[in-house]
Amino acid sequence: MWRVQLHKINYDEREYQAVREVLDSGWLTISEKTHSFESAFSEFLGHDTKSLAVSNCTSALHMALLALGIKEGDEVITPSLTFIADQNVTQMCGAKNVLADITSMEDWSMDPDDIEAKITAKTKAVIIMHYAGFACDMDRVTALCKKRNLFLVEDCAHTPGADYKGRSLGAFGDISAFSFYANKNIAIGEGGMVVTRNAEIYEKLKALRSHGMSVPSFDRYKGRAATYDVAFAGFNYRINEIGSALGFVQLQKLKESNDQRRKLVKRYCQRLDGFSSISIPYRNFSRGKPNYHIMPVLLSENIDRAAVIESMKKDGVQTSIHYPAIQGFTAYKDKVNSTPKAEYVCAHELTLPLYPAMTFDEVDIVCDALVKEIK
């Protein structure tokens, strides 16, 4: 159907072999593959992080807020330019979402000044989101959270392989949440990782992941324990061994894949820089190394985005939007504050295809299809 689709999984024989090994083992739930993936991920992030593989990033975010004691009556400052999971898990915990705006039309990261302006006596935590794999101003954000005694949760759905001044994103928050959804830089279909540097929080997260049980199933299977205790109510937020096996391979390929994304984004910039009706965010980014998770562009307000999407579809080019405005969703209409800059971006952003196996010729096809509609 598509000449150029939005994303493609970056798989080869290594992923197939990893899955075969799991199937041959006869054990599909958490065991050695998951433990190896978690250890490799912690080593990859560094800074004494402890990682737990989970069913998806939303479960990681939910576990994070629960482990930090977020409850009814609390307020959590959440990103205004993000996937709705940040707001959903906050609401699930009974807390109120208070949206922070982005910094500018060139820098779509959360604005530290706006975060500070939204803090009240009820604020208990900040969820920071590194849009498209570009780091927020973590010096200011971490200093602010420390000064105001707030928990910091990093939504790292976009970030594997990105850093802030040389320190891996995900190594700053009290707890961090990663996504391994099908279009992510580490792609396993569904899956995620919850990360902390705090040993006590780690134990809470470990119990929350598996019904609050004191002993995992694999230990009972191996005869290391006959029974278990349940210290508090938890969930089934576990990953499976096939997902962990795929994630381990994808992690080994991440640097090469991100390097290829960088080259493709450079090609996009070369092709689109001369068009005044199109702008590309983060062009003067200097806070660290991005991982170029997606390729967002901002169309000028005189461009009919829906018409552009439909025209590009007819040309065989798949596009998307990251993201619709939270204020427009039925569940949140009239329940969250306005964030004018983010709402403008939500109304005019267009996401172009980007994936490691993409070619320069395919970038050119996308750009030709786009500029035809905006001249």
Side-chain angles (χ1 to χ4, degrees):
M1 177 179 177
W2 301 107
R3 294 174 71 198
V4 187
Q5 63 192 64
L6 189 66
H7 65 86
K8 291 181 182 179
I9 57 173
N10 180 31
Y11 280 14
D12 55 36
E13 180 58 30
R14 286 172 284 182
E15 281 84 2
Y16 289 99
Q17 180 58 35
V19 172
R20 289 189 199 104
E21 290 174 3
V22 173
L23 298 179
D24 289 344
S25 77
W27 187 264
L28 298 180
T29 56
I30 290 176
S31 62
E32 280 88 353
K33 292 290 186 183
T34 299
H35 300 152
S36 295
F37 184 31
E38 292 169 341
S39 296
F41 201 81
S42 290
E43 184 177 353
F44 166 72
L45 291 181
H47 301 281
D48 298 319
T49 52
K50 302 175 184 294
S51 303
L52 287 169
V54 293
S55 53
N56 52 62
C57 188
T58 304
S59 59
L61 289 164
H62 190 203
M63 291 163 62
L65 295 188
L66 291 172
L68 296 175
I70 303 303
K71 61 187 185 305
E72 187 173 356
D74 292 340
E75 292 180 357
V76 178
I77 297 177
T78 58
S80 53
L81 184 61
T82 189
F83 184 60
I84 198 61
D86 291 322
Q87 283 71 39
N88 282 348
V89 297
T90 299
Q91 185 160 298
M92 286 177 190
C93 291
K96 177 183 177 182
N97 280 285
V98 179
L99 305 185
D101 212 342
I102 62 172
T103 301
S104 69
M105 293 300 106
E106 294 75 36
D107 183 351
W108 296 0
S109 303
M110 291 173 71
D111 181 1
D113 289 333
D114 199 49
I115 293 172
E116 185 166 22
K118 301 290 173 59
I119 296 172
T120 72
K122 295 182 178 180
T123 307
K124 295 297 187 295
V126 174
I127 299 179
I128 202 84
M129 190 269 197
H130 307 286
Y131 184 92
F134 290 82
C136 294
D137 188 341
M138 296 310 294
D139 284 341
R140 293 190 61 194
V141 171
T142 54
L144 175 60
C145 288
K146 184 177 181 180
K147 174 185 173 184
R148 303 299 291 269
N149 195 30
L150 303 176
F151 293 118
L152 176 61
V153 175
E154 281 185 86
D155 178 347
C156 293
H158 290 193
T159 72
D163 69 38
Y164 175 80
K165 298 182 179 180
R167 180 169 178 159
S168 294
L169 298 181
F172 290 88
D174 293 286
I175 306 178
S176 302
F178 289 81
S179 173
F180 306 136
Y181 185 64
N183 68 337
K184 296 301 192 287
N185 294 51
I186 294 176
I188 68 173
E190 292 286 359
M193 195 76 76
V194 61
V195 175
T196 185
R197 289 166 290 137
N198 182 295
E200 183 178 348
I201 290 176
Y202 174 78
E203 293 301 325
K204 287 183 182 178
L205 293 168
K206 196 171 183 180
L208 282 167
R209 177 176 68 172
S210 189
H211 303 287
M213 294 191 304
S214 59
V215 179
S217 300
F218 191 66
D219 283 350
R220 300 198 304 279
Y221 170 75
K222 286 292 188 181
R224 292 192 282 261
T227 187
Y228 57 87
D229 187 23
V230 175
F232 53 83
F235 302 88
N236 181 358
Y237 281 167
R238 298 182 297 246
I239 199 170
N240 61 64
E241 283 287 273
I242 291 175
S244 292
L246 291 171
F248 185 86
V249 175
Q250 286 275 288
L251 182 60
Q252 313 313 308
K253 297 162 69 170
L254 182 63
K255 183 181 185 305
E256 180 182 353
S257 298
N258 286 350
D259 285 345
Q260 184 60 21
R261 288 173 180 270
R262 175 183 54 80
K263 294 173 185 176
L264 293 164
V265 169
K266 183 177 180 181
R267 177 76 166 196
Y268 267 121
C269 293
Q270 290 170 344
R271 284 296 315 273
L272 299 177
D273 269 350
F275 296 90
S276 59
S277 295
I278 303 171
S279 62
I280 301 172
Y282 300 107
R283 289 309 308 277
N284 299 306
F285 186 77
S286 61
R287 291 194 292 265
K289 179 181 68 177
N291 70 352
Y292 304 98
H293 167 54
I294 55 175
M295 181 63 213
V297 298
L298 188 65
L299 306 178
S300 61
E301 57 187 344
N302 64 313
I303 301 296
D304 184 340
R305 181 174 64 178
V308 171
I309 291 171
E310 185 59 29
S311 174
M312 294 182 73
K313 180 180 178 180
K314 290 177 180 177
D315 283 339
V317 176
Q318 187 180 26
T319 60
S320 187
I321 297 170
H322 287 81
Y323 293 94
I326 292 159
Q327 292 87 347
F329 291 132
T330 300
Y332 292 96
K333 193 171 291 185
D334 302 323
K335 295 181 181 178
V336 291
N337 54 290
S338 178
T339 50
K341 287 178 282 190
E343 289 174 63
Y344 182 90
V345 168
C346 291
H348 300 282
E349 188 272 343
L350 182 66
T351 304
L352 305 178
L354 182 65
Y355 47 89
M358 193 177 184
T359 66
F360 283 0
D361 286 344
E362 287 172 323
V363 172
D364 291 340
I365 290 171
V366 175
C367 292
D368 289 343
L370 173 59
V371 301
K372 182 179 73 173
E373 288 301 307
I374 56 91
K375 285 182 178 178

